Amino acid sequence: MLDIKDLKARVAGNDILNGLSLSVQAGEVHAIMGPNGSGKSTLAQVVAGHDDYEVTGGSVTFKDKDLLELEPEDRAREGIFLGFQYPVEIPGVNNAYLLKAAMNARREHRGEGEIDSFEFLKLAREKMAALGMDPKFLNRGVNEGFSGGEKKRNEILQMAMLEPELAILDETDSGLDIDALKAVAAGVNALRSPERAIVLVTHYQRLLDYIEPDFVHVLSQGRIVRSGDKTLALELEEKGYDWVREAANA
Amino acid sequence: MSRLSDDKLREIVARFPTTRDEDWKYTDLSQARDIASRWLDEKPATAASALQDDAAAITSTIDAAWLVIADGVLQTTQAPDGVSVDRVDDIPVGDSALAEFNAALVRDGIRIRVSGQVERPIGLLLLDSAEQTSVAQAYVEVEFQNGASGELIEYHVSRGDADQYANTIVTLHVSDAAIASHVRIQDRGRNHLQTSKTRVSLGKDARFSSASFDLGGGMVRNDIDIDIANTGAEVSFDGLYLAGDGQHLDNHTRVDHRVGPATSRQEYRGILNGRCRCVWNGKAIVHEGADGTDADQANHNLLLSEKAEIDAKPELEIYTDDVKCSHGTTVGQLDETALFYLRTRGLDRTAAMQVLTHAFAAGLVSRVPVEAARGAVSALIERRLEELAVTIEEDPS
Amino acid sequence: MATETEQLESLVNRRYEHGFVTDIATESLPPGLDEDVVRAISARKNEPEWLLEWRLQAYRQWLEMEEPEWAHVHYPKIDYNAISYFAAPKSDEDRPKSLDEVDPKLLETYDKLGIPLHERARLAGVAVDAVFDSVSVATTFKEKLSEAGVIFCSFSEAVVEHPELVKKYLGSVVPRRDNFFAALNSAVFSDGSFVYIPKGVRCPMELSTYFRINAANTGQFERTLVVADEGSYVSYLEGCTAPMRDENQLHAAVVELVAMEDAEIKYSTVQNWYPGDEEGKGGIYNFVTKRGDCRGANSKISWTQVETGSAITWKYPSCLLRGANSVGEFYSVAVTNNLQQADTGTKMIHIGPNTSSTIVSKGISAGRAQQAYRGLVKVMPQAKGARNHTQCDSLLIGKDCGAHTFPYMEIRNPSAKVEHEATTSKISANQLFYCRQRGISEEDAVNMIVNGFCKEVFKELPMEFAVEAQALLNVSLEGAVG
């Protein structure tokens, strides 16, 4: 589904990704771990198409399409969802409006009609209930004045509504208390399916207690230095990232 | 002692700004024009006044290397290491009637250069006597050279009962990577007039911090123009005006952001009691291409009596989009809840008001960038607030 | 919320849509202005002597006045003798008695404009007075309104039918010599709307006027007078459009509102005069004087404006807060793109005790446009307990535009509480990327963010207008980001 080959990227003149390769198939859950500055968030941003990140080499294909050729909104319409580490506040634009506009953009792209308002509200309320969100959130400004936990739940709500084929969740666990973490994890697990792939970008192993990955990759200095199954995450937890760095340098 | 003929001087006086000029809408200089004309008619001989005692008393309140300019004449120079003081022979003619008037009549214009890290603050006492109708001019240039750092205290005082119009021009240049701290205290006679123009220009990565206190003067108009033409400049300035019966205090500020990134922030506060009027006009101009500008203006006013008036005008002119600009202005009274709280704790209304007005002023005192001056400033404010508090008792509003 | 969303979604980006010219026979005066022209206008309208005299005095006063130059706008000197001061559809000779008699071409024009003049008007419950060039063409719902005692008619008709009311209130809020453009209007105003709501009446429907400049080389000088007598309420909407022409056209209107004790007037404007093309050619000079007088205690006047059109806008809808506890409000969205210039804001003059005012101004500047907010909050010495809150926000789109604020606060009473806040921002790259990552195009994302920025003001507009306003905003900002 997603094929990254020898990807190199820089931001503000600094090389961050230095030949990263990763292949993700439908139905899989991948966890990408690594110390701060290893390039985890950069990878997520590059796949989503942020302008600030300049791709200097390699290729990214998604469902056999050259992703790097596409505008961010077209990537989204193709089915890529990025859960932001720092969800953006957009004052005055209400959540429901953004959500509906996003769903309809996707539906239009697929040649489907616009979602019925009634159906939309029903769906949104269901998903919110599952995430433990107050339905009032729908009428508030996008992330405006939300707490950290509320913002992250809101990201998961958007994901649940948009039903992407590939969801990349960037540090979705950061800043969450245990209840919020469980709610978020339940939301992600509910979305696991044979047609869908999920990439979790995380610093800590904690999230993986709740969302069990099929593969774990460790990033260091812009490259994947180690891949394995979920036991790799536990090993990392125990030995710390220095262990990986040493392994990488060895 | 004038560099120009009386006729020429009269012609300049006739060109002083009037309330028809937008920038002078709220401040009428006709009194200054009148004093200047009378002075030209009478030309009283300047008596050598006995200002030494006053000078000594004032300079003893702040530990600094003091330069005293009494009635326009430079008296003492005890410049610390790294500081040079010269008389300026070639006063620039000036670009306004007020500047021309200054250039024609100033006696000792002075130029101060600061190089290296100067620890001891430089004090500049401008002391004028008014035994007869008089005009007083001061012209000061200060240059903080590349990488220099220094502190400057500017202290304006006048003595005497006769009419006086003082007109000051101060130019501060803070060169590349220099750090300048500035305090201005204006405590002129309650019957005296002053116009002052302060121009500040900043080099690359220069820093300028300033605090200005207007306590005295009958009619005072201060203009501070800050020009940011180099990147990385950081400007922060505060002003406090305390006005009582018969006072008119006008502060006009202007910051030109010509390039970015650079930051400027200003906060002016006013406490008005008795029959008085204050004006605050803050202008920030972000020129084309000044991307990365961060400019903030704040102005807060406390009106404590029936006859106090305030005109506030926070202006922004912005010609590019990558900016962060904001301003906030408030006009109001002391918080009744806080007053009540203090009274339940046993303070009478006047005392409670004093506590709160003092707190209102204290925020700026704590930020005075020249530490050596902080104590003296605080004492002066305390004294002035006590004077104002007397009026509060007489005129409960 | 759902309907709003849907209506919004159905609106696609459009260019200036109202720029068609109606091919209809018009009768107009030759260009030029002197006393004879003033007399001719007055004669055409069979005006009483006192009104002619009033006009002539205004004209003489205007001759002595100077065009204001303090606004932050630039334009070549206007030749007031190159303008025609009166243009009317020919059929004016025998004015239509009912809608059926109105020239079908005119109705078609209003159709194109989306004015609910016909059946749609009935459905929407909006009574419409339409001013085409200088003449009021049709007023709908007259009967239903007159049952309630509400007078809603063209200004010319009011002069004939209700001379005592016109005489009493005309010029009582905006005196003839108030300013250069008001004086000009007083001399040559051709038509406009007149509204009178009697004591205790809540006007049963929204009243609405659509203005359109059609003829070339004409100025439009309409005059609107709304009087809400004690305890009454009225909501009044006005909309404006003009065809695309290469020359600049002058629009100098005067609006006067009078609210007596316990009365409330809500006045909403969606101004979409032709703004000129991308190079700044053509467009309307919109130099308008609008003022409301809260004459009675507990009265309220609320101005809401959405200004997207005009090459140059010079306009400060104001409130004189005379009555005790009276309330003034000003909600404004102003959009300038390309080479548009706007200098707009409000004046809140606190005169009576315990008066309060609220100002919310949202300015959006894009392209090479320059926009200024200019406002005055004045608290007079006798205005005990005055309150004002002002929020003034600017959104900049692009490097070449400008956004300026010139707020004046003149406080003469110590019990006043006045707060002013202003911010300036741009649409952040992060906000855009976030929306795009959700599949929303850049243009839609900009519209969405801009509409969010303006929300506080849009919520003050009646529903149909709010939707139109949002759509207009999108049109106005077309091509602003890219």
Side-chain angles (χ1 to χ4, degrees):
Chain A
M1 180 185 267
L2 179 73
D3 229 342
I4 303 174
K5 285 206 180 99
D6 199 26
L7 183 63
K8 292 178 181 153
R10 51 165 47 195
V11 61
N14 301 316
D15 292 319
I16 307 289
L17 298 183
N18 300 304
L20 182 145
S21 297
L22 176 69
S23 178
V24 178
Q25 303 308 318
E28 296 174 351
V29 174
H30 291 243
I32 298 194
M33 304 185 67
N36 290 329
S38 59
K40 302 189 301 287
S41 284
T42 298
L43 174 63
Q45 299 282 333
V46 167
V47 172
H50 198 293
D51 285 348
D52 287 353
Y53 299 84
E54 187 196 345
V55 174
T56 51
S59 68
V60 183
T61 57
F62 178 64
K63 297 188 295 185
D64 301 326
K65 284 191 181 134
D66 180 358
L67 206 57
L68 299 178
E69 286 294 303
L70 298 179
E71 291 295 318
E73 57 266 40
D74 293 326
R75 301 183 197 200
R77 291 167 191 176
E78 285 291 333
I80 293 179
F81 178 90
L82 171 64
F84 284 63
Q85 183 179 3
Y86 304 108
V88 179
E89 297 194 15
I90 312 177
V93 173
N94 83 38
N95 251 324
Y97 183 69
L98 176 85
L99 203 48
K100 204 167 156 205
M103 284 180 81
N104 283 332
R106 182 105 203 263
R107 290 169 75 109
E108 194 190 336
H109 183 71
R110 293 186 189 140
E112 298 166 6
E114 290 191 358
I115 186 165
D116 173 75
S117 290
F118 205 73
E119 208 177 296
F120 167 79
L121 276 177
K122 192 167 156 265
L123 192 64
R125 293 221 173 95
E126 262 175 43
K127 305 277 188 198
M128 290 177 91
L131 282 164
M133 285 174 82
D134 187 331
K136 285 195 195 110
F137 274 90
L138 273 182
N139 292 321
R140 284 179 48 185
V142 173
N143 295 321
E144 195 181 353
F146 285 24
S147 71
E150 286 165 351
K151 284 182 181 172
K152 294 299 170 72
R153 279 182 213 231
N154 199 31
E155 292 294 286
I156 300 303
L157 170 68
Q158 293 184 9
M159 177 178 77
M161 296 288 285
L162 292 170
E163 301 186 326
E165 282 156 74
L166 171 67
I168 304 166
L169 304 176
D170 189 5
E171 305 271 359
T172 294
D173 52 331
S174 66
L176 294 185
D177 62 32
I178 191 72
D179 290 336
L181 182 68
K182 280 181 181 166
V184 163
V188 174
N189 286 326
L191 238 72
R192 287 182 87 147
S193 93
E195 292 82 44
R196 189 171 288 130
I198 296 171
V199 176
L200 305 167
V201 173
T202 181
H203 189 84
Y204 300 105
Q205 194 270 337
R206 186 176 75 148
L207 179 69
L208 307 182
D209 288 342
Y210 300 95
I211 308 170
E212 199 172 298
D214 302 309
F215 303 94
V216 174
H217 310 277
V218 181
L219 219 59
S220 179
Q221 292 163 14
R223 270 188 215 103
I224 288 177
V225 292
R226 221 178 150 119
S227 295
D229 61 12
K230 62 182 177 183
T231 55
L232 178 58
L234 294 168
E235 205 171 341
L236 263 180
E237 177 88 343
E238 200 181 309
K239 297 184 179 168
Y241 282 115
D242 287 343
W243 163 68
V244 184
R245 276 196 206 103
E246 282 158 22
N249 293 335
Chain B
M1 98 194 159
S2 169
R3 294 170 184 82
L4 296 174
S5 70
D6 283 8
D7 282 351
K8 181 64 187 161
L9 286 172
R10 281 180 213 283
E11 186 272 322
I12 293 172
V13 171
R15 281 191 285 115
F16 279 8
T18 70
T19 51
R20 289 178 62 89
D21 298 301
E22 177 67 20
D23 272 350
W24 293 83
K25 190 177 154 81
Y26 299 117
T27 296
D28 186 354
L29 279 186
S30 49
Q31 239 187 307
R33 208 175 293 118
D34 177 55
I35 293 171
S37 304
R38 271 193 285 133
W39 174 77
L40 279 166
D41 292 341
E42 296 163 15
K43 282 282 185 60
T46 26
S49 56
L51 291 169
Q52 290 88 339
D53 291 351
D54 287 308
I58 292 164
T59 54
S60 70
T61 61
I62 301 173
D63 180 25
W66 283 98
L67 310 175
V68 178
I69 300 177
D71 286 328
V73 178
L74 182 61
Q75 309 284 323
T76 51
T77 53
Q78 35 160 307
D81 284 349
V83 177
S84 70
V85 178
D86 299 293
R87 287 190 174 77
V88 184
D89 298 324
D90 50 335
I91 308 269
V93 176
D95 51 3
S96 68
L98 296 180
E100 286 174 53
F101 196 62
N102 179 279
L105 292 171
V106 73
R107 295 170 80 178
D108 285 344
I110 61 166
R111 182 174 289 137
I112 301 171
R113 284 200 182 86
V114 180
S115 56
Q117 319 300 307
V118 178
E119 298 286 330
R120 194 165 157 79
I122 306 155
L124 190 62
L125 176 62
L126 302 152
L127 186 53
D128 296 305
S129 64
E131 306 301 330
Q132 302 103 350
T133 302
S134 58
V135 294
Q137 311 294 330
Y139 181 90
V140 179
E141 282 178 18
V142 185
E143 186 189 349
F144 295 84
Q145 295 184 325
N146 288 351
S149 71
E151 299 180 326
L152 178 72
I153 300 155
E154 195 188 317
Y155 202 140
H156 300 252
V157 179
S158 63
R159 296 281 186 260
D161 298 324
D163 289 339
Q164 182 173 71
Y165 165 51
N167 180 28
T168 308
I169 292 188
V170 175
T171 305
L172 305 175
H173 179 66
V174 190
S175 311
D176 293 354
I179 300 172
S181 305
H182 172 241
V183 176
R184 182 182 150 282
I185 301 163
Q186 182 277 111
D187 194 16
R188 288 188 177 265
R190 218 51 52 75
N191 52 333
H192 292 162
L193 275 69
Q194 177 172 25
T195 53
S196 83
K197 178 89 160 178
T198 305
R199 278 198 211 91
V200 184
S201 57
L202 290 118
K204 193 170 159 37
D205 299 323
R207 265 199 286 164
F208 175 69
S209 312
S210 173
S212 178
F213 299 89
D214 281 288
L215 309 159
M219 202 206 71
V220 175
R221 162 64 180 252
N222 302 313
D223 277 279
I224 181 164
D225 291 359
I226 297 178
D227 195 78
I228 300 176
N230 294 287
T231 58
E234 267 180 54
V235 172
S236 167
F237 60 109
D238 293 324
L240 180 70
Y241 40 94
L242 305 179
D245 260 340
Q247 284 185 284
H248 177 112
L249 306 178
D250 178 349
N251 278 285
H252 267 60
T253 73
R254 174 181 170 135
V255 182
D256 278 278
H257 281 269
R258 298 183 196 281
V259 297
T263 61
S264 70
R265 56 150 293 280
Q266 62 177 298
E267 179 167 350
Y268 274 73
R269 292 190 188 184
I271 299 174
L272 289 73
N273 200 359
R275 183 186 289 273
C276 61
R277 186 173 182 184
C278 290
V279 179
W280 177 79
N281 187 331
K283 184 186 280 197
I285 305 177
V286 181
H287 294 262
E288 238 171 90
D291 290 335
T293 291
D294 189 341
D296 183 50
Q297 300 173 329
N299 172 232
H300 302 292
N301 298 283
L302 267 185
L303 299 186
L304 299 178
S305 92
E306 210 56 52
K307 301 291 179 200
E309 299 183 1
I310 175 81
D311 296 295
K313 198 175 158 208
E315 298 177 72
L316 293 172
E317 279 185 55
I318 298 166
Y319 296 92
T320 187
D321 70 337
D322 190 10
V323 296
K324 231 178 86 194
C325 293
S326 57
H327 64 226
T329 297
T330 58
V331 177
Q333 302 76 40
L334 293 172
D335 180 6
E336 282 298 329
T337 323
L339 275 176
F340 178 72
Y341 177 81
L342 290 174
R343 292 170 75 188
T344 65
R345 295 298 176 262
L347 275 71
D348 65 31
R349 192 173 168 87
T350 306
M353 284 177 88
Q354 251 195 292
V355 167
L356 293 179
T357 42
H358 199 89
F360 182 79
L364 297 188
V365 176
S366 66
R367 286 211 299 257
V368 167
V370 179
E371 208 181 324
R374 213 170 285 156
V377 164
S378 185
L380 283 168
I381 290 170
E382 189 110 24
R383 191 206 69 204
R384 186 73 188 114
L385 284 178
E386 264 166 41
E387 288 170 11
L388 291 178
V390 174
T391 335
I392 296 176
E393 272 174 321
E394 286 166 359
D395 181 17
S397 53
Chain C
M1 171 214 73
T3 34
E4 182 190 1
T5 313
E6 272 156 23
Q7 277 172 298
L8 258 181
E9 282 162 0
S10 73
L11 293 159
V12 288
N13 283 317
R14 303 171 291 190
R15 299 237 155 231
Y16 189 76
E17 215 177 47
H18 304 307
F20 55 88
V21 179
T22 305
D23 179 19
I24 200 168
T26 57
E27 209 175 43
S28 57
L29 287 172
L33 182 55
D34 55 23
E35 291 201 3
D36 287 341
V37 168
V38 176
R39 284 174 207 282
I41 293 169
S42 187
R44 268 295 299 263
K45 308 180 111 8
N46 299 316
E47 284 176 357
E49 187 60 28
W50 69 265
L51 189 52
L52 170 63
E53 210 35 58
W54 197 84
R55 286 176 179 274
L56 287 171
Q57 282 193 30
Y59 174 70
R60 289 165 200 151
Q61 285 165 340
W62 176 73
L63 284 178
E64 289 166 15
M65 296 172 84
E66 280 175 27
E67 202 169 327
E69 285 175 353
W70 42 261
H72 199 279
V73 296
H74 304 281
Y75 57 92
K77 255 219 146 352
I78 297 172
D79 179 358
Y80 289 91
N81 279 317
I83 297 169
S84 166
Y85 288 85
F86 191 81
K90 263 247 171 66
S91 59
D92 186 52
E93 297 295 8
D94 37 1
R95 288 284 298 273
K97 304 290 176 295
S98 76
L99 266 184
D100 308 333
E101 290 178 35
V102 172
D103 187 330
K105 269 217 171 111
L106 258 187
L107 290 181
E108 216 178 280
T109 304
Y110 292 127
D111 246 21
K112 277 194 219 168
L113 292 172
I115 299 176
L117 193 67
H118 243 300
E119 281 305 305
R120 275 182 295 169
R122 215 170 292 268
L123 291 172
V126 177
V128 178
D129 182 27
V131 178
F132 193 86
D133 285 337
S134 298
V135 172
S136 179
V137 185
T139 308
T140 56
F141 279 104
K142 216 169 205 173
E143 272 170 41
K144 190 166 176 206
L145 288 169
S146 69
E147 270 168 38
V150 171
I151 303 170
F152 177 38
C153 62
S154 74
F155 204 90
S156 312
E157 201 179 328
V159 169
V160 177
E161 303 286 329
H162 311 282
E164 68 303 334
L165 286 174
V166 174
K167 200 168 177 178
K168 184 172 175 190
Y169 292 106
L170 177 68
S172 73
V173 185
V174 180
R176 280 179 307 228
R177 55 170 315 140
D178 185 79
N179 67 70
F180 182 83
F181 299 113
L184 178 63
N185 174 286
S186 300
V188 303
F189 72 87
S190 30
D191 215 330
S193 294
F194 177 81
V195 176
Y196 175 79
I197 316 290
K199 283 184 188 171
V201 171
R202 198 179 163 86
C203 187
M205 59 188 72
E206 311 258 6
L207 303 182
S208 173
T209 301
Y210 266 82
F211 295 103
R212 177 163 176 84
I213 300 176
N214 192 59
N217 300 319
T218 53
Q220 179 150 318
F221 305 94
E222 81 271 358
R223 186 117 196 161
T224 302
L225 178 53
V226 179
V227 179
D229 217 325
E230 287 171 23
S232 67
Y233 168 85
V234 62
S235 168
Y236 186 95
L237 322 171
E238 83 184 343
C240 349
T241 58
M244 291 152 99
R245 292 191 189 280
D246 286 348
E247 318 82 47
N248 296 109
Q249 282 177 288
L250 179 63
H251 173 249
V254 171
V255 175
E256 295 179 278
L257 312 182
V258 180
M260 307 304 279
E261 198 171 323
D262 295 318
E264 180 178 349
I265 302 174
K266 197 170 161 53
Y267 196 102
S268 313
T269 304
V270 173
Q271 184 268 106
N272 185 30
W273 297 118
Y274 179 52
D277 67 9
E278 285 83 354
E279 295 308 312
K281 196 166 189 195
I284 302 290
Y285 291 167
N286 191 34
F287 300 155
V288 173
T289 305
K290 291 183 168 181
R291 192 172 304 151
D293 186 353
C294 284
R295 222 165 265 187
N298 311 313
S299 56
K300 179 176 176 183
I301 289 179
S302 179
W303 297 100
T304 305
Q305 61 171 28
V306 176
E307 303 279 321
T308 59
S310 297
I312 300 176
T313 297
W314 179 98
K315 145 173 197 198
Y316 316 91
S318 304
C319 294
L320 299 171
L321 302 168
R322 262 189 241 277
N325 314 315
S326 59
V327 176
E329 294 177 338
F330 175 74
Y331 297 97
S332 170
V333 164
V335 183
T336 46
N337 194 4
N338 298 319
L339 283 164
Q340 279 178 281
Q341 306 175 59
D343 194 298
T344 184
T346 184
K347 292 187 215 174
M348 293 291 175
I349 315 293
H350 293 257
I351 302 165
N354 302 313
T355 49
S356 63
S357 60
T358 302
I359 299 171
V360 177
S361 166
K362 304 278 182 176
I364 298 142
S365 208
R368 285 178 283 162
Q370 295 293 331
Q371 187 175 131
Y373 167 82
R374 189 180 302 277
L376 169 67
V377 174
K378 184 159 191 158
V379 177
M380 304 295 272
Q382 69 272 30
K384 267 211 157 68
R387 297 284 176 269
N388 164 268
H389 183 83
T390 302
Q391 176 73 45
C392 186
D393 298 322
S394 309
L395 188 68
L396 292 128
I397 304 177
K399 293 249 166 275
D400 303 320
C401 60
H404 321 296
T405 43
F406 305 104
Y408 294 68
M409 281 158 271
E410 302 181 355
I411 315 303
R412 305 279 170 269
N413 186 298
S415 60
K417 275 197 167 47
V418 176
E419 295 168 344
H420 176 102
E421 290 173 71
T423 64
T424 300
S425 55
K426 61 171 188 167
I427 294 180
S428 82
N430 282 339
Q431 287 174 332
L432 277 182
F433 180 65
Y434 188 76
C435 292
R436 293 175 75 191
Q437 208 302 304
R438 297 299 180 252
I440 294 158
S441 72
E442 188 162 18
E443 195 150 359
D444 287 348
V446 169
N447 288 337
M448 201 185 273
I449 292 165
V450 168
N451 279 313
F453 174 76
C454 299
K455 198 169 204 168
E456 261 174 286
V457 174
F458 286 158
K459 74 174 173 21
E460 296 296 324
L461 285 169
M463 180 65 187
E464 319 83 77
F465 259 42
V467 173
E468 182 181 344
Q470 297 191 20
L472 271 178
L473 222 65
N474 300 355
V475 178
S476 306
L477 287 173
E478 190 164 277
V481 174

